[in-house]
Amino acid sequence: PGVGKGTQAKILSKMLNVRHLSTGEILRDEIKKNTKIGKIAKSFIDYGNLVPDDLILNIISEEISAQISNKGYLLDGFPRTIPQATGFDNLLNKINHNLNAAINLTANEDELIKRILERGKFSGRSDESVNIVRKRQKIYWAQTAPLIKYYKGKNILKNIDGIGKVEEITKNILEIIC
Ligand code: ADP
């Protein structure tokens, strides 16, 4: 959380002309529209918890099957747990697609917490207060960090330093994936 993946994903998806799918944005949109999914999501997001895997996998599966892109996708904030990653592998198998790269943006944790709290002053997001931010970092280490090993094992992990100028980080990502 806070490493700048959303910023990079927006820039890269435009440059590469691929579909940008951000689970965080999709969920926030559902919350805004006060849908059933939005109500469920809110009860997790407001407390800094991850939304259940089944719900996330359904969203991704629907988004992807509604519009199968042969140009590819840039997934932002997904998968975030091992069950999401294995569920996603099954989905990709079914539609005969494969994952080319998993980008791990890295940064110092204290720096990130500072950044999110700064962003929280303006974002109006319910999950950017200090206690919730710390909880989200804890959950990241417990549930999301194991994906580093998972994708390393599949030989598609790309580590990129997430600290620096936005343009430089974009350039570094492009160099490694193109
Ligand atoms: P950040 O990068 O600041 O964590 P996101 O927009 O990616 O922001 O996610 C915000 C929140 O939405 C997460 O803390 C989590 O509660 C929920 N969320 C987003 N993506 C997922 C996912 N793949 N699985 C479970 N929960 C998710």
Side-chain angles (χ1 to χ4, degrees):
V3 78
K5 63 184 182 299
T7 304
Q8 292 298 330
K10 270 189 205 124
I11 299 172
L12 288 162
S13 58
K14 264 206 193 124
M15 288 175 93
L16 301 169
N17 196 21
V18 294
R19 225 171 125 207
H20 174 202
L21 286 177
S22 155
T23 42
E25 270 179 22
I26 294 170
L27 295 171
R28 281 189 290 277
D29 199 46
E30 295 284 339
I31 294 175
K32 227 193 268 161
K33 291 192 214 141
N34 206 15
T35 62
K36 198 173 152 202
I37 290 178
K39 281 181 195 151
I40 301 172
K42 188 169 166 50
S43 69
F44 291 91
I45 292 179
D46 281 359
Y47 298 97
N49 292 318
L50 291 181
V51 172
D53 293 331
D54 288 0
L55 198 139
I56 296 285
L57 280 166
N58 278 338
I59 290 177
I60 288 290
S61 163
E62 273 179 25
E63 288 282 341
I64 289 187
S65 33
Q67 196 190 338
I68 295 187
S69 158
N70 37 30
K71 287 212 174 108
Y73 309 87
L74 200 161
L75 296 146
D76 162 10
F78 171 88
R80 240 178 170 98
T81 64
I82 294 282
Q84 288 182 23
T86 53
F88 186 52
D89 284 344
N90 292 337
L91 173 69
L92 289 176
N93 266 338
K94 269 191 215 148
I95 58 171
N96 245 332
H97 283 193
N98 56 20
L99 199 57
N100 303 103
I103 301 164
N104 178 31
L105 284 178
T106 59
N108 172 289
E109 193 166 7
D110 292 335
E111 193 58 41
L112 292 186
I113 293 178
K114 253 194 348 215
R115 258 204 228 176
I116 308 180
L117 293 177
E118 202 46 47
R119 177 172 82 183
K121 289 184 193 161
F122 310 99
S123 69
R125 276 176 54 170
S126 56
D127 58 349
E128 297 197 321
S129 67
V130 68
N131 290 341
I132 301 292
V133 168
R134 289 202 186 280
K135 185 163 168 197
R136 280 164 59 203
Q137 294 291 341
K138 222 168 132 187
I139 290 177
Y140 167 82
W141 287 112
Q143 298 200 54
T144 306
L147 292 174
I148 297 172
K149 201 169 157 201
Y150 183 81
Y151 287 120
K152 201 172 174 188
K154 287 182 176 282
N155 259 326
I156 54 169
L157 185 76
K158 318 281 179 190
N159 290 304
I160 302 275
D161 187 354
I163 297 295
K165 283 203 180 123
V166 171
E167 314 84 77
E168 262 159 35
I169 299 167
T170 307
K171 194 173 136 246
N172 291 340
I173 299 176
L174 281 170
E175 258 167 31
I176 225 165
I177 60 170
C178 290

